């Protein structure tokens, strides 16, 4: 793992597991639950979740294609049970063409800033620190996996490093 650029570089912010639970407790919209669920469960960057198309999720095969923005590689990953449940609840009442954005806004795929704004709304509703942002979910899953004893190499691969 690379050393911090400076000995004064702050440690990345992350949410504890109870804080993640509080965050998801205030998200009632199925789209937003699925969106932030994928960000957390797969350690996605905001821009990566915005790249997802309907065809990238195969509920029948239990697979998701993750498109990493850094190093530009794609990988097919198994859908976790929690992710399958979130996506099924979101996709069941609607039909999306295969080339449609998985998380659409009014004018195409949700933009990075729109996703961050949604996160701030839910963060405030959950009473979480304003110091945490949407990217903190990525750090949170990494921390939670490491705390659970998962090998560092797996966590690195899971996050696309």
């Amino acid at each position: 793992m690379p050393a911090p650029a400076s000995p004064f570089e702050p440690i990345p912010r992350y949410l504890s597991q109870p804080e993640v639970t509080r965050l998801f407790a205030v998200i009632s919209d199925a789209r937003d639950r699925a969106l932030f669920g994928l960000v957390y469960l797969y350690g996605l960057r905001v821009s990566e979740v915005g790249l997802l198309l309907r065809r990238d999720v195969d509920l029948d095969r239990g697979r998701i294609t993750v498109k990493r923005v850094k190093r530009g590689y794609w990988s097919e990953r198994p859908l976790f049970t929690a992710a399958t449940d979130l996506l099924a609840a979101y996709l069941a009442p609607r039909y999306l063409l295969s080339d449609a954005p998985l998380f659409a806004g009014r004018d195409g795929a949700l933009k990075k800033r729109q996703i961050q704004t949604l996160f701030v709304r839910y963060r405030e509703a959950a009473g979480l620190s304003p110091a945490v942002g949407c990217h903190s979910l990525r750090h949170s899953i990494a921390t939670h996996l490491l705390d659970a004893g998962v090998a560092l190499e797996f966590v690195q691969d899971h996050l696309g490093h």
Side-chain angles (χ1 to χ4, degrees):
M1 191 178 263
S6 159
F8 303 108
E9 187 173 312
I11 295 173
R13 305 258 184 210
Y14 65 92
L15 299 168
S16 66
Q17 289 183 6
E19 288 173 325
V20 170
T21 301
R22 274 192 5 231
L23 176 69
F24 281 95
V26 301
I27 304 174
S28 59
D29 183 77
R31 180 200 67 185
D32 296 348
R33 285 183 66 79
L35 176 121
F36 292 114
L38 291 181
V39 169
Y40 173 71
L41 293 168
Y42 292 92
L44 298 178
R45 294 174 179 90
V46 175
S47 55
E48 292 169 345
V49 78
L51 289 175
L52 290 172
L53 302 175
R54 174 58 185 98
R55 70 172 164 251
D56 296 327
V57 173
D58 187 341
L59 293 175
D60 295 331
R61 289 182 47 237
R63 309 295 288 171
I64 184 170
T65 300
V66 174
K67 303 169 186 175
R68 296 294 182 182
V69 294
K70 292 197 177 177
R71 298 190 205 146
Y73 72 90
W74 296 12
S75 63
E76 192 175 74
R77 302 282 178 165
L79 269 175
F80 302 124
T81 304
T84 300
D85 295 345
L86 290 168
L87 287 164
Y90 165 55
L91 294 171
R94 61 189 48 79
Y95 175 79
L96 297 176
L97 296 173
S98 68
D99 60 344
L102 184 59
F103 300 110
R106 288 189 202 119
D107 192 26
L110 283 174
K111 307 294 185 271
K112 184 177 177 178
R113 187 69 198 131
Q114 292 172 306
I115 295 168
Q116 291 168 332
T117 300
L118 281 172
F119 181 84
V120 168
R121 181 185 325 151
Y122 293 124
R123 179 193 69 202
E124 290 173 355
L128 300 174
S129 167
V132 296
C134 192
H135 193 74
S136 299
L137 288 174
R138 181 174 162 82
H139 294 291
S140 299
I141 191 61
T143 302
H144 299 162
L145 289 171
L146 291 171
D147 287 348
V150 174
L152 177 61
E153 294 79 13
F154 174 85
V155 175
Q156 289 173 320
D157 181 62
H158 187 66
L159 297 179
H161 288 284

